[in-house]
Amino acid sequence: MGSLPHIVEDCMGVLQLYSDGTVSRSDNIHFPFPITLDTSVVFRDVLYDASHALHLRLYKPPSSSSSSSSSPTTNKKLPILFFFHGGGFCVGSRSWPNSHNCCVRLALGLDALVIAPDYRLAPEHRLPAAVEDGVKAIEWVRKAGKLDEWIEESGDLKRVFVMGDSSGGNIAHHLAVRIGIENEKFGVRGFVLMAPFFGGVRRTKSEEGPAEQLFDLEALDRFWRLSLPIGEDRDHPLANPFGASSMSLEEVKLEPILVIVGGDEMLKDRAENYAKTLSQLGKRIEYVEFEGKQHGFFTNSQDPQLGHQVIAIIKKFMLHNSV
């Protein structure tokens, strides 16, 4: 008689992979903060990919109320900001309090129509599934410009920005490269990468340094084992933008990129090297480091002053690249 299936990978109890290949996901997740109940921002969920049952959540700030009003502010088109949540490609959702609260702050602080797509998660759907879903989400919004009331009335399809946190930042990078190669801008004016989740076989100093409060090297490696194509290592192009098998970005016409990272993050060195390398290639890139901050310092923080500082940096970047 064979042995019963046992757990071989455990992501904080939220995701468990068993020896027979089955996956267990828990909905009983306790966040240290409640979901924001701000009625000035309205939101709704939309199915954008029926084949994979994927939804996105749209957030509309109070300045873009019904266009039937005669107020001069109601008819103005708002920039569109995509927000791809983090979670090591393995966990996370548009509906989780950290993602939802972040999008509410972004909609209010940036006066933008925020769109938060879900994407397929690993290990059931390994990379490049998440990147492919990101492409589909952008294409859906482009097509929905004349089909979805909120986008048609409030969204400026000529001022689109793509933001991602952690693994979402990785997705944003690959979308920037794909859009640059295909020269199909979709109105995208820039990308914001919050502590982008990049990897590599060779360790960086920050990876080998002290573990973070909620993040350590073991978790970092586990996410890559579960999300990369089977048999691939952390130098795969989907993990390492500058690995031996990664394409050269020298001739790719990238839109402006803003990288924001905490000074005490394990991912800090890779984010800094990413910005330096692209700058050396002549790309328009900004790098901002928040001293003493750890992973998720913006999406998980309830510090309003810190939130305002991050919002101000993103707003300046968007305004500069909207001209």
Side-chain angles (χ1 to χ4, degrees):
M1 180 180 294
S3 60
L4 294 174
H6 58 279
I7 297 173
V8 294
E9 299 279 8
D10 189 341
C11 293
M12 303 169 289
V14 178
L15 166 70
Q16 295 175 323
L17 174 65
Y18 287 82
S19 56
D20 63 353
T22 58
V23 175
S24 173
R25 291 184 179 275
S26 174
D27 293 326
N28 188 23
I29 305 169
H30 300 286
F31 285 86
F33 46 82
I35 196 163
T36 297
L37 298 175
D38 189 326
T39 56
S40 67
V41 176
V42 292
F43 67 91
R44 62 184 175 87
D45 293 327
V46 177
L47 178 70
Y48 79 89
D49 183 359
S51 63
H52 296 114
L54 290 173
H55 292 76
L56 53 78
R57 180 167 290 183
L58 295 95
Y59 296 81
K60 189 165 62 169
S63 64
S64 60
S65 56
S66 174
S67 61
S68 61
S69 169
S70 59
S71 170
T73 62
T74 55
N75 290 321
K76 74 171 184 176
K77 295 284 188 176
L78 302 178
I80 294 174
L81 176 70
F82 282 90
F83 177 81
F84 290 94
H85 67 76
F89 298 110
C90 296
V91 297
S93 168
R94 73 193 187 285
S95 62
W96 280 17
N98 56 347
S99 176
H100 176 84
N101 294 355
C102 178
C103 289
V104 170
R105 293 199 304 270
L106 291 169
L108 283 171
L110 300 174
D111 197 22
L113 185 65
V114 176
I115 301 174
D118 274 345
Y119 49 87
R120 285 173 290 168
L121 299 175
E124 303 97 316
H125 306 282
R126 292 176 176 265
L127 291 168
V131 177
E132 293 171 349
D133 295 338
V135 173
K136 288 184 180 179
I138 292 180
E139 290 177 344
W140 180 88
V141 170
R142 185 189 186 194
K143 295 175 182 177
K146 295 183 179 180
L147 299 175
D148 185 273
E149 181 181 1
W150 284 16
I151 297 175
E152 181 182 9
E153 294 182 352
S154 303
D156 187 347
L157 291 172
K158 295 181 180 179
R159 287 189 298 151
V160 178
F161 294 85
V162 179
M163 176 177 176
D165 173 53
S166 192
S167 55
N170 178 298
I171 293 172
H173 159 74
H174 288 291
L175 291 177
V177 173
R178 182 171 299 197
I179 290 173
I181 292 173
E182 297 177 354
N183 201 30
E184 287 285 346
K185 302 304 182 185
F186 301 113
V188 177
R189 297 293 192 91
F191 297 82
V192 180
L193 280 57
M194 294 286 300
F197 187 51
F198 295 136
V201 171
R202 185 177 181 179
R203 301 293 189 192
T204 67
K205 184 178 179 180
S206 61
E207 287 174 344
E208 293 180 332
E212 299 183 44
Q213 184 177 358
L214 300 174
F215 199 44
D216 59 22
L217 192 59
E218 182 180 359
L220 192 71
D221 289 350
R222 181 182 301 113
F223 283 135
W224 285 124
R225 285 197 302 271
L226 292 173
S227 63
L228 284 171
I230 294 175
E232 299 290 349
D233 62 26
R234 298 187 305 274
D235 277 336
H236 188 280
L238 289 166
N240 188 350
F242 310 115
S245 59
S246 300
M247 67 171 293
S248 171
L249 300 180
E250 186 171 2
E251 301 301 323
V252 180
K253 296 181 179 180
L254 298 177
E255 293 300 307
I257 297 174
L258 168 65
V259 177
I260 302 177
V261 68
D264 287 352
E265 294 201 45
M266 296 180 67
L267 297 174
K268 194 266 291 186
D269 288 351
R270 294 201 184 276
E272 184 177 19
N273 178 67
Y274 173 80
K276 286 183 177 179
T277 303
L278 289 188
S279 178
Q280 291 169 356
L281 293 176
K283 310 304 179 185
R284 292 168 292 173
I285 187 162
E286 300 177 40
Y287 175 81
V288 179
E289 185 177 312
F290 278 77
E291 183 178 357
K293 298 304 179 182
Q294 296 188 349
H295 198 60
F297 71 91
F298 174 64
T299 52
N300 295 328
S301 173
Q302 300 302 292
D303 182 349
Q305 182 177 0
L306 177 62
H308 290 325
Q309 291 175 352
V310 176
I311 291 289
I313 292 170
I314 298 173
K315 188 170 187 176
K316 181 180 178 181
F317 172 79
M318 291 175 61
L319 288 173
H320 179 73
N321 293 295
S322 292
V323 180

